[in-house]
Amino acid sequence: MKRPELLAPAGDLTRMKYAFAYGADAVYAGQPAFSLRARENGFKNLDDLAEGIEYAHRLGKKFYLTSNVIPRNVKVEAFQKALLAAIDLGPDALIVADPGFVGWLRKVRPEVEIHLSVQANTTNYLAAMFWQDLGVRRIILSRELRLSEVVEIKERCPNLELEVFVHGAVCMSMSGRCMLSNWVTRRDANQGACDNSCRMPYRLYANPEPQCENYREHEGSFTLQRTDRPELDPIALDEDAWGTYFMSSRDLCAMDVIPDLMMAGLDSFKIEGRTKSVYYLSQVVRAYRMAIDACAEQAEAGKPFEVSAEARRAISFVDGRGFMTGFMKGPLPQNYESTHEDAAGGCVVAQVLSYDEATRACRVNVKNRFSLDDSLELMTPAGQFSCEVLSMKDFKGGDTDTLHPGTEGWIFLSESAGDMSKNANFFFFLKKKS
């Protein structure tokens, strides 16, 4: 059984380096001004891209350039010019959504490997064959597909690389082709300016005119009920203090589907989240690295394979909107009560900035408040394990029992933590919940 590529998001150079450190085989990064994360893209210019591509290739890894904006006429020539300049830097592939640009690239730079973006919404084997005939090397399948449909496309297109999302945010629209943001705030998601209107809380008010003097919130709660299907449970629309999140889907977590996808021979497992934190990225990449490796090793040994408990535990340390397997497997439970669920396993309390081997001191950036008597774990590319903290100092260098978020400080480890010198800048402290 081949091991699928583990593909991680790279919102900037720092995130890219953490993704590789924690086990990613490849990263995808946005092209400046012409990806669907244009506003949050940390790769601001060609120099940033060149540095990222060179770093990836030095490690023997791959760097894919996301160029998946769906341009209007006014952007076509600028997009073409930018693409040609980026291609000269040597990315391993371009992720493209617009069919006109796929055709243009095949004519002007036929040697360039093209991956068809999920924005193209490929949902069947006939469409996959069409794109393959046009010279597309890989297709990123639509997130609306069921597992059986994904498997069938791979069976019918065995020589075409297929990539599937396994973790991250999911749109309520068709794999991101959403107009809600454009309607609400005049920010076009298909031009890279989505403002996540579907994730925001909304409230219903009792007055027809918002500016009237007796303007007030409606008292009570609201539900939706299908009048033609009264046996279905009503959907509550006003659940918490902030409002309703009716349009905000749970996050995808395909951990339970990993064995099936590997059996089907899928080529690449993709993690969503170019705007997520360094900690989130590191933990999720590590979890899926362990899941993939454990299943592959079990298969090679002729044993029934399943996702390891360690991989599942790693995912439990990540915040989200509540997890689901998407359309791949089983029902689609939604979370109408909140747009956020805390990690079950614990929370990140500090990111290590540097390590002094002589004094065993870690200089840290504090993310959440923690004290000397808290139970802590180290998260490193090599694994996650308990550690003993002997003492701490605050940002002024004074002894302290507590470190607070938004500051820097020092943590002094006992010898039981082992040699951390090889992991400097690549591990975190985790606070386990009681």
Side-chain angles (χ1 to χ4, degrees), residues 60-120:
K61 309 282 188 175
K62 291 187 176 181
F63 187 106
Y64 303 140
L65 187 59
T66 305
S67 307
N68 61 346
V69 71
I70 301 172
R72 310 280 180 86
N73 287 336
V74 70
K75 283 188 176 181
V76 168
E77 292 185 4
F79 191 11
Q80 290 174 319
K81 181 179 179 180
L83 269 175
L84 292 176
I87 288 170
D88 288 340
L89 300 177
D92 294 281
L94 295 181
I95 301 173
V96 184
D98 188 273
F101 274 82
V102 172
W104 174 74
L105 284 166
R106 296 300 299 152
K107 291 178 181 178
V108 301
R109 298 299 292 266
E111 79 283 0
V112 173
E113 184 171 317
I114 297 176
H115 295 178
L116 189 68
S117 171
V118 70
Q119 292 295 117

Short mmCIF file of all heavy atoms in Angstrom, two decimals, residues 60-120:
data_model
loop_
_atom_site.label_atom_id
_atom_site.label_comp_id
_atom_site.label_asym_id
_atom_site.label_seq_id
_atom_site.Cartn_x
_atom_site.Cartn_y
_atom_site.Cartn_z
N GLY A 60 13.63 18.19 0.28
CA GLY A 60 13.10 17.11 -0.54
C GLY A 60 11.58 17.07 -0.52
O GLY A 60 10.97 16.03 -0.82
N LYS A 61 10.96 18.19 -0.17
CA LYS A 61 9.50 18.28 -0.10
C LYS A 61 8.97 19.06 -1.32
O LYS A 61 9.74 19.57 -2.13
CB LYS A 61 9.09 19.01 1.18
CG LYS A 61 9.71 18.45 2.45
CD LYS A 61 9.05 17.19 2.92
CE LYS A 61 9.58 16.78 4.29
NZ LYS A 61 8.87 15.59 4.83
N LYS A 62 7.63 19.15 -1.41
CA LYS A 62 7.02 19.82 -2.55
C LYS A 62 6.28 21.09 -2.11
O LYS A 62 5.78 21.18 -0.99
CB LYS A 62 6.07 18.88 -3.27
CG LYS A 62 6.80 17.74 -3.98
CD LYS A 62 5.86 16.92 -4.84
CE LYS A 62 6.63 15.87 -5.63
NZ LYS A 62 5.74 15.07 -6.50
N PHE A 63 6.21 22.03 -3.04
CA PHE A 63 5.58 23.33 -2.81
C PHE A 63 4.62 23.59 -3.96
O PHE A 63 5.03 23.74 -5.11
CB PHE A 63 6.66 24.42 -2.75
CG PHE A 63 6.15 25.78 -2.35
CD1 PHE A 63 6.41 26.29 -1.09
CD2 PHE A 63 5.43 26.58 -3.25
CE1 PHE A 63 5.98 27.56 -0.72
CE2 PHE A 63 4.99 27.84 -2.89
CZ PHE A 63 5.27 28.34 -1.61
N TYR A 64 3.32 23.60 -3.64
CA TYR A 64 2.29 23.86 -4.65
C TYR A 64 1.79 25.29 -4.51
O TYR A 64 1.51 25.76 -3.40
CB TYR A 64 1.12 22.89 -4.50
CG TYR A 64 1.51 21.43 -4.57
CD1 TYR A 64 0.92 20.50 -3.73
CD2 TYR A 64 2.47 20.99 -5.47
CE1 TYR A 64 1.26 19.16 -3.78
CE2 TYR A 64 2.83 19.65 -5.53
CZ TYR A 64 2.23 18.74 -4.68
OH TYR A 64 2.58 17.42 -4.73
N LEU A 65 1.64 25.97 -5.62
CA LEU A 65 1.22 27.36 -5.61
C LEU A 65 -0.27 27.45 -5.93
O LEU A 65 -0.72 27.04 -7.01
CB LEU A 65 2.02 28.16 -6.64
CG LEU A 65 1.79 29.67 -6.62
CD1 LEU A 65 2.14 30.26 -5.26
CD2 LEU A 65 2.62 30.34 -7.71
N THR A 66 -1.05 27.97 -4.98
CA THR A 66 -2.49 28.09 -5.15
C THR A 66 -2.81 29.37 -5.92
O THR A 66 -2.66 30.47 -5.40
CB THR A 66 -3.19 28.10 -3.78
OG1 THR A 66 -2.81 26.94 -3.05
CG2 THR A 66 -4.69 28.12 -3.94
N SER A 67 -3.25 29.19 -7.15
CA SER A 67 -3.57 30.32 -8.04
C SER A 67 -5.02 30.14 -8.51
O SER A 67 -5.30 30.05 -9.70
CB SER A 67 -2.62 30.34 -9.24
OG SER A 67 -1.27 30.32 -8.82
N ASN A 68 -5.93 30.07 -7.54
CA ASN A 68 -7.29 29.61 -7.86
C ASN A 68 -8.36 30.68 -7.80
O ASN A 68 -9.54 30.37 -7.65
CB ASN A 68 -7.68 28.46 -6.93
CG ASN A 68 -7.68 28.85 -5.46
OD1 ASN A 68 -7.15 29.89 -5.08
ND2 ASN A 68 -8.26 28.00 -4.63
N VAL A 69 -7.97 31.95 -7.91
CA VAL A 69 -8.98 32.99 -8.03
C VAL A 69 -9.74 32.78 -9.34
O VAL A 69 -9.20 32.23 -10.31
CB VAL A 69 -8.32 34.39 -7.99
CG1 VAL A 69 -7.54 34.67 -9.27
CG2 VAL A 69 -9.34 35.47 -7.75
N ILE A 70 -11.02 33.16 -9.36
CA ILE A 70 -11.83 33.07 -10.57
C ILE A 70 -12.00 34.50 -11.08
O ILE A 70 -12.88 35.23 -10.63
CB ILE A 70 -13.19 32.41 -10.27
CG1 ILE A 70 -12.94 31.01 -9.69
CG2 ILE A 70 -14.05 32.33 -11.53
CD1 ILE A 70 -14.18 30.32 -9.17
N PRO A 71 -11.12 34.93 -11.98
CA PRO A 71 -10.99 36.37 -12.28
C PRO A 71 -12.11 36.92 -13.15
O PRO A 71 -12.69 36.21 -13.98
CB PRO A 71 -9.65 36.44 -13.00
CG PRO A 71 -9.53 35.12 -13.68
CD PRO A 71 -10.16 34.12 -12.76
N ARG A 72 -12.39 38.19 -12.98
CA ARG A 72 -13.22 38.95 -13.92
C ARG A 72 -12.31 39.46 -15.04
O ARG A 72 -11.09 39.37 -14.96
CB ARG A 72 -13.88 40.12 -13.20
CG ARG A 72 -14.58 39.76 -11.89
CD ARG A 72 -15.95 39.17 -12.11
NE ARG A 72 -16.60 38.85 -10.84
CZ ARG A 72 -17.30 39.70 -10.11
NH1 ARG A 72 -17.41 40.97 -10.48
NH2 ARG A 72 -17.89 39.31 -9.00
N ASN A 73 -12.90 40.04 -16.06
CA ASN A 73 -12.13 40.50 -17.21
C ASN A 73 -10.98 41.42 -16.82
O ASN A 73 -9.88 41.32 -17.37
CB ASN A 73 -13.05 41.25 -18.18
CG ASN A 73 -13.98 40.33 -18.94
OD1 ASN A 73 -13.70 39.15 -19.08
ND2 ASN A 73 -15.10 40.86 -19.40
N VAL A 74 -11.23 42.32 -15.87
CA VAL A 74 -10.24 43.32 -15.52
C VAL A 74 -8.98 42.70 -14.91
O VAL A 74 -7.91 43.33 -14.91
CB VAL A 74 -10.86 44.36 -14.55
CG1 VAL A 74 -11.11 43.74 -13.19
CG2 VAL A 74 -10.00 45.60 -14.44
N LYS A 75 -9.08 41.47 -14.41
CA LYS A 75 -7.93 40.83 -13.77
C LYS A 75 -7.18 39.86 -14.67
O LYS A 75 -6.12 39.37 -14.28
CB LYS A 75 -8.40 40.05 -12.52
CG LYS A 75 -8.70 40.90 -11.31
CD LYS A 75 -8.95 40.03 -10.09
CE LYS A 75 -9.16 40.87 -8.85
NZ LYS A 75 -9.38 40.02 -7.65
N VAL A 76 -7.71 39.56 -15.83
CA VAL A 76 -7.15 38.49 -16.65
C VAL A 76 -5.68 38.74 -17.00
O VAL A 76 -4.81 37.88 -16.78
CB VAL A 76 -7.99 38.28 -17.92
CG1 VAL A 76 -7.24 37.38 -18.91
CG2 VAL A 76 -9.33 37.65 -17.57
N GLU A 77 -5.36 39.88 -17.56
CA GLU A 77 -3.99 40.14 -18.01
C GLU A 77 -3.02 40.21 -16.84
O GLU A 77 -1.89 39.69 -16.92
CB GLU A 77 -3.94 41.42 -18.84
CG GLU A 77 -4.66 41.30 -20.18
CD GLU A 77 -4.49 42.55 -21.03
OE1 GLU A 77 -3.75 43.47 -20.60
OE2 GLU A 77 -5.09 42.61 -22.13
N ALA A 78 -3.44 40.83 -15.74
CA ALA A 78 -2.57 40.91 -14.56
C ALA A 78 -2.33 39.51 -13.99
O ALA A 78 -1.21 39.20 -13.55
CB ALA A 78 -3.21 41.81 -13.50
N PHE A 79 -3.35 38.68 -13.99
CA PHE A 79 -3.22 37.31 -13.51
C PHE A 79 -2.25 36.52 -14.39
O PHE A 79 -1.39 35.79 -13.89
CB PHE A 79 -4.60 36.66 -13.47
CG PHE A 79 -4.67 35.34 -12.75
CD1 PHE A 79 -3.62 34.87 -11.98
CD2 PHE A 79 -5.81 34.55 -12.85
CE1 PHE A 79 -3.69 33.65 -11.32
CE2 PHE A 79 -5.90 33.34 -12.18
CZ PHE A 79 -4.84 32.89 -11.42
N GLN A 80 -2.36 36.67 -15.70
CA GLN A 80 -1.46 35.97 -16.61
C GLN A 80 0.00 36.37 -16.36
O GLN A 80 0.90 35.52 -16.30
CB GLN A 80 -1.85 36.27 -18.06
CG GLN A 80 -3.15 35.62 -18.49
CD GLN A 80 -3.57 36.05 -19.89
OE1 GLN A 80 -3.46 37.23 -20.25
NE2 GLN A 80 -4.06 35.11 -20.68
N LYS A 81 0.22 37.64 -16.22
CA LYS A 81 1.58 38.13 -15.99
C LYS A 81 2.13 37.60 -14.67
O LYS A 81 3.29 37.15 -14.59
CB LYS A 81 1.58 39.66 -15.98
CG LYS A 81 2.95 40.29 -15.78
CD LYS A 81 2.86 41.81 -15.81
CE LYS A 81 4.23 42.44 -15.58
NZ LYS A 81 4.15 43.94 -15.62
N ALA A 82 1.30 37.61 -13.62
CA ALA A 82 1.74 37.13 -12.32
C ALA A 82 2.02 35.63 -12.34
O ALA A 82 2.97 35.15 -11.71
CB ALA A 82 0.68 37.46 -11.27
N LEU A 83 1.20 34.88 -13.05
CA LEU A 83 1.41 33.43 -13.15
C LEU A 83 2.74 33.10 -13.82
O LEU A 83 3.49 32.24 -13.34
CB LEU A 83 0.27 32.80 -13.93
CG LEU A 83 -0.94 32.31 -13.13
CD1 LEU A 83 -2.02 31.81 -14.07
CD2 LEU A 83 -0.54 31.20 -12.17
N LEU A 84 3.05 33.78 -14.90
CA LEU A 84 4.29 33.50 -15.61
C LEU A 84 5.51 33.81 -14.73
O LEU A 84 6.49 33.08 -14.74
CB LEU A 84 4.34 34.32 -16.89
CG LEU A 84 3.33 33.92 -17.98
CD1 LEU A 84 3.41 34.87 -19.16
CD2 LEU A 84 3.57 32.48 -18.44
N ALA A 85 5.42 34.89 -13.96
CA ALA A 85 6.53 35.24 -13.07
C ALA A 85 6.68 34.19 -11.97
O ALA A 85 7.80 33.82 -11.60
CB ALA A 85 6.30 36.62 -12.47
N ALA A 86 5.57 33.71 -11.45
CA ALA A 86 5.63 32.71 -10.39
C ALA A 86 6.13 31.37 -10.90
O ALA A 86 6.87 30.67 -10.21
CB ALA A 86 4.24 32.55 -9.76
N ILE A 87 5.74 31.01 -12.10
CA ILE A 87 6.18 29.74 -12.68
C ILE A 87 7.70 29.68 -12.79
O ILE A 87 8.32 28.63 -12.58
CB ILE A 87 5.53 29.54 -14.07
CG1 ILE A 87 4.04 29.23 -13.91
CG2 ILE A 87 6.22 28.42 -14.84
CD1 ILE A 87 3.27 29.25 -15.21
N ASP A 88 8.32 30.80 -13.09
CA ASP A 88 9.78 30.85 -13.23
C ASP A 88 10.50 30.53 -11.93
O ASP A 88 11.70 30.21 -11.94
CB ASP A 88 10.21 32.23 -13.73
CG ASP A 88 9.83 32.47 -15.19
OD1 ASP A 88 9.60 31.48 -15.91
OD2 ASP A 88 9.74 33.65 -15.59
N LEU A 89 9.80 30.58 -10.79
CA LEU A 89 10.42 30.27 -9.49
C LEU A 89 10.50 28.76 -9.24
O LEU A 89 11.19 28.33 -8.32
CB LEU A 89 9.63 30.94 -8.36
CG LEU A 89 9.53 32.47 -8.43
CD1 LEU A 89 8.67 32.98 -7.29
CD2 LEU A 89 10.92 33.11 -8.38
N GLY A 90 9.77 27.98 -10.02
CA GLY A 90 9.87 26.53 -9.92
C GLY A 90 8.98 25.84 -8.91
O GLY A 90 9.41 24.84 -8.30
N PRO A 91 7.71 26.27 -8.71
CA PRO A 91 6.83 25.50 -7.84
C PRO A 91 6.57 24.13 -8.47
O PRO A 91 6.66 23.96 -9.69
CB PRO A 91 5.55 26.35 -7.80
CG PRO A 91 5.57 27.13 -9.07
CD PRO A 91 7.02 27.42 -9.33
N ASP A 92 6.23 23.17 -7.64
CA ASP A 92 6.03 21.80 -8.16
C ASP A 92 4.72 21.65 -8.92
O ASP A 92 4.58 20.73 -9.72
CB ASP A 92 6.08 20.82 -6.99
CG ASP A 92 7.46 20.76 -6.36
OD1 ASP A 92 8.34 20.10 -6.93
OD2 ASP A 92 7.67 21.43 -5.33
N ALA A 93 3.76 22.53 -8.67
CA ALA A 93 2.51 22.51 -9.42
C ALA A 93 1.76 23.80 -9.15
O ALA A 93 2.01 24.49 -8.15
CB ALA A 93 1.64 21.32 -9.02
N LEU A 94 0.84 24.12 -10.04
CA LEU A 94 -0.08 25.23 -9.85
C LEU A 94 -1.46 24.66 -9.57
O LEU A 94 -1.91 23.73 -10.25
CB LEU A 94 -0.15 26.10 -11.10
CG LEU A 94 1.10 26.86 -11.54
CD1 LEU A 94 0.78 27.68 -12.79
CD2 LEU A 94 1.61 27.78 -10.44
N ILE A 95 -2.13 25.21 -8.56
CA ILE A 95 -3.50 24.82 -8.26
C ILE A 95 -4.40 25.88 -8.89
O ILE A 95 -4.41 27.04 -8.46
CB ILE A 95 -3.74 24.73 -6.74
CG1 ILE A 95 -2.78 23.70 -6.13
CG2 ILE A 95 -5.19 24.36 -6.44
CD1 ILE A 95 -2.83 23.65 -4.60
N VAL A 96 -5.15 25.50 -9.92
CA VAL A 96 -5.91 26.44 -10.75
C VAL A 96 -7.37 26.03 -10.77
O VAL A 96 -7.69 24.83 -10.78
CB VAL A 96 -5.34 26.48 -12.18
CG1 VAL A 96 -6.06 27.52 -13.02
CG2 VAL A 96 -3.84 26.78 -12.16
N ALA A 97 -8.27 27.01 -10.80
CA ALA A 97 -9.70 26.73 -10.82
C ALA A 97 -10.35 27.12 -12.13
O ALA A 97 -11.28 26.45 -12.59
CB ALA A 97 -10.40 27.45 -9.67
N ASP A 98 -9.90 28.21 -12.74
CA ASP A 98 -10.57 28.76 -13.92
C ASP A 98 -10.24 27.95 -15.17
O ASP A 98 -9.06 27.78 -15.50
CB ASP A 98 -10.14 30.22 -14.11
CG ASP A 98 -10.95 30.91 -15.18
OD1 ASP A 98 -10.57 30.81 -16.36
OD2 ASP A 98 -11.97 31.54 -14.84
N PRO A 99 -11.23 27.43 -15.90
CA PRO A 99 -10.94 26.60 -17.08
C PRO A 99 -10.20 27.34 -18.17
O PRO A 99 -9.38 26.76 -18.90
CB PRO A 99 -12.33 26.14 -17.54
CG PRO A 99 -13.29 27.10 -16.92
CD PRO A 99 -12.68 27.53 -15.64
N GLY A 100 -10.49 28.66 -18.30
CA GLY A 100 -9.76 29.43 -19.30
C GLY A 100 -8.27 29.47 -19.02
O GLY A 100 -7.45 29.38 -19.95
N PHE A 101 -7.91 29.57 -17.76
CA PHE A 101 -6.49 29.61 -17.41
C PHE A 101 -5.85 28.23 -17.51
O PHE A 101 -4.65 28.13 -17.78
CB PHE A 101 -6.32 30.21 -16.01
CG PHE A 101 -6.24 31.71 -16.05
CD1 PHE A 101 -7.40 32.47 -16.10
CD2 PHE A 101 -5.02 32.36 -16.08
CE1 PHE A 101 -7.33 33.85 -16.17
CE2 PHE A 101 -4.94 33.73 -16.14
CZ PHE A 101 -6.10 34.49 -16.19
N VAL A 102 -6.62 27.18 -17.29
CA VAL A 102 -6.07 25.83 -17.53
C VAL A 102 -5.70 25.70 -19.00
O VAL A 102 -4.58 25.28 -19.35
CB VAL A 102 -7.10 24.75 -17.14
CG1 VAL A 102 -6.60 23.37 -17.58
CG2 VAL A 102 -7.34 24.76 -15.64
N GLY A 103 -6.60 26.09 -19.90
CA GLY A 103 -6.32 26.01 -21.33
C GLY A 103 -5.17 26.90 -21.74
O GLY A 103 -4.30 26.50 -22.54
N TRP A 104 -5.12 28.11 -21.21
CA TRP A 104 -4.03 29.05 -21.55
C TRP A 104 -2.68 28.52 -21.09
O TRP A 104 -1.69 28.57 -21.84
CB TRP A 104 -4.33 30.39 -20.91
CG TRP A 104 -3.23 31.39 -21.05
CD1 TRP A 104 -2.88 32.08 -22.18
CD2 TRP A 104 -2.32 31.81 -20.02
NE1 TRP A 104 -1.81 32.91 -21.92
CE2 TRP A 104 -1.45 32.77 -20.60
CE3 TRP A 104 -2.16 31.49 -18.69
CZ2 TRP A 104 -0.43 33.39 -19.88
CZ3 TRP A 104 -1.16 32.11 -17.96
CH2 TRP A 104 -0.31 33.04 -18.55
N LEU A 105 -2.63 27.97 -19.87
CA LEU A 105 -1.37 27.43 -19.35
C LEU A 105 -0.89 26.24 -20.17
O LEU A 105 0.32 26.08 -20.40
CB LEU A 105 -1.53 27.02 -17.88
CG LEU A 105 -1.55 28.15 -16.86
CD1 LEU A 105 -2.05 27.65 -15.51
CD2 LEU A 105 -0.17 28.77 -16.72
N ARG A 106 -1.80 25.41 -20.63
CA ARG A 106 -1.41 24.25 -21.45
C ARG A 106 -0.78 24.70 -22.77
O ARG A 106 0.05 24.00 -23.34
CB ARG A 106 -2.61 23.35 -21.72
CG ARG A 106 -3.21 22.71 -20.47
CD ARG A 106 -2.21 21.83 -19.75
NE ARG A 106 -1.76 20.75 -20.60
CZ ARG A 106 -0.57 20.15 -20.51
NH1 ARG A 106 0.31 20.58 -19.63
NH2 ARG A 106 -0.26 19.16 -21.30
N LYS A 107 -1.18 25.88 -23.25
CA LYS A 107 -0.63 26.38 -24.50
C LYS A 107 0.72 27.07 -24.31
O LYS A 107 1.67 26.83 -25.05
CB LYS A 107 -1.62 27.36 -25.15
CG LYS A 107 -2.88 26.72 -25.68
CD LYS A 107 -3.82 27.78 -26.25
CE LYS A 107 -5.11 27.16 -26.76
NZ LYS A 107 -6.05 28.20 -27.28
N VAL A 108 0.80 27.95 -23.30
CA VAL A 108 1.99 28.78 -23.17
C VAL A 108 3.08 28.12 -22.31
O VAL A 108 4.27 28.38 -22.52
CB VAL A 108 1.65 30.17 -22.59
CG1 VAL A 108 0.66 30.89 -23.50
CG2 VAL A 108 1.09 30.07 -21.18
N ARG A 109 2.70 27.29 -21.35
CA ARG A 109 3.68 26.60 -20.51
C ARG A 109 3.25 25.15 -20.28
O ARG A 109 2.86 24.75 -19.17
CB ARG A 109 3.85 27.33 -19.16
CG ARG A 109 4.37 28.75 -19.26
CD ARG A 109 5.76 28.84 -19.88
NE ARG A 109 6.76 28.26 -19.05
CZ ARG A 109 7.50 28.94 -18.17
NH1 ARG A 109 7.29 30.22 -18.00
NH2 ARG A 109 8.43 28.33 -17.47
N PRO A 110 3.27 24.35 -21.35
CA PRO A 110 2.75 22.98 -21.26
C PRO A 110 3.52 22.08 -20.30
O PRO A 110 3.01 21.04 -19.90
CB PRO A 110 2.86 22.47 -22.71
CG PRO A 110 3.92 23.34 -23.33
CD PRO A 110 3.77 24.67 -22.69
N GLU A 111 4.73 22.48 -19.91
CA GLU A 111 5.53 21.66 -18.99
C GLU A 111 5.09 21.81 -17.54
O GLU A 111 5.47 21.00 -16.68
CB GLU A 111 7.01 22.03 -19.12
CG GLU A 111 7.43 23.31 -18.40
CD GLU A 111 7.03 24.61 -19.11
OE1 GLU A 111 6.40 24.51 -20.20
OE2 GLU A 111 7.36 25.69 -18.61
N VAL A 112 4.28 22.81 -17.25
CA VAL A 112 3.87 23.08 -15.87
C VAL A 112 2.81 22.08 -15.42
O VAL A 112 1.82 21.84 -16.12
CB VAL A 112 3.33 24.52 -15.74
CG1 VAL A 112 2.74 24.75 -14.35
CG2 VAL A 112 4.43 25.51 -16.03
N GLU A 113 3.00 21.50 -14.25
CA GLU A 113 2.02 20.57 -13.69
C GLU A 113 0.84 21.36 -13.13
O GLU A 113 1.03 22.31 -12.36
CB GLU A 113 2.66 19.72 -12.60
CG GLU A 113 1.74 18.66 -12.02
CD GLU A 113 2.46 17.70 -11.09
OE1 GLU A 113 3.60 17.28 -11.44
OE2 GLU A 113 1.90 17.37 -10.03
N ILE A 114 -0.36 20.95 -13.51
CA ILE A 114 -1.57 21.65 -13.07
C ILE A 114 -2.40 20.73 -12.19
O ILE A 114 -2.67 19.57 -12.54
CB ILE A 114 -2.42 22.09 -14.28
CG1 ILE A 114 -1.64 23.11 -15.14
CG2 ILE A 114 -3.74 22.69 -13.82
CD1 ILE A 114 -2.36 23.52 -16.39
N HIS A 115 -2.80 21.26 -11.04
CA HIS A 115 -3.75 20.59 -10.15
C HIS A 115 -5.05 21.40 -10.21
O HIS A 115 -5.03 22.61 -10.03
CB HIS A 115 -3.23 20.52 -8.72
CG HIS A 115 -2.01 19.68 -8.57
ND1 HIS A 115 -1.36 19.51 -7.36
CD2 HIS A 115 -1.31 18.94 -9.46
CE1 HIS A 115 -0.33 18.72 -7.52
NE2 HIS A 115 -0.26 18.36 -8.79
N LEU A 116 -6.16 20.73 -10.44
CA LEU A 116 -7.44 21.42 -10.55
C LEU A 116 -8.00 21.68 -9.16
O LEU A 116 -8.22 20.77 -8.37
CB LEU A 116 -8.43 20.58 -11.36
CG LEU A 116 -9.72 21.29 -11.72
CD1 LEU A 116 -9.47 22.42 -12.72
CD2 LEU A 116 -10.75 20.31 -12.28
N SER A 117 -8.25 22.94 -8.86
CA SER A 117 -8.71 23.36 -7.54
C SER A 117 -10.08 22.77 -7.20
O SER A 117 -10.90 22.47 -8.09
CB SER A 117 -8.79 24.89 -7.48
OG SER A 117 -9.43 25.33 -6.30
N VAL A 118 -10.34 22.64 -5.91
CA VAL A 118 -11.66 22.22 -5.44
C VAL A 118 -12.73 23.20 -5.89
O VAL A 118 -13.91 22.86 -6.00
CB VAL A 118 -11.65 22.06 -3.91
CG1 VAL A 118 -11.55 23.41 -3.22
CG2 VAL A 118 -12.88 21.30 -3.41
N GLN A 119 -12.32 24.45 -6.19
CA GLN A 119 -13.27 25.45 -6.67
C GLN A 119 -13.92 25.06 -7.99
O GLN A 119 -14.97 25.59 -8.35
CB GLN A 119 -12.57 26.79 -6.84
CG GLN A 119 -12.12 27.45 -5.55
CD GLN A 119 -13.26 27.84 -4.66
OE1 GLN A 119 -13.40 27.35 -3.56
NE2 GLN A 119 -14.10 28.74 -5.13
N ALA A 120 -13.31 24.14 -8.72
CA ALA A 120 -13.88 23.68 -9.99
C ALA A 120 -15.00 22.69 -9.77
O ALA A 120 -15.71 22.32 -10.71
CB ALA A 120 -12.79 23.07 -10.87
#
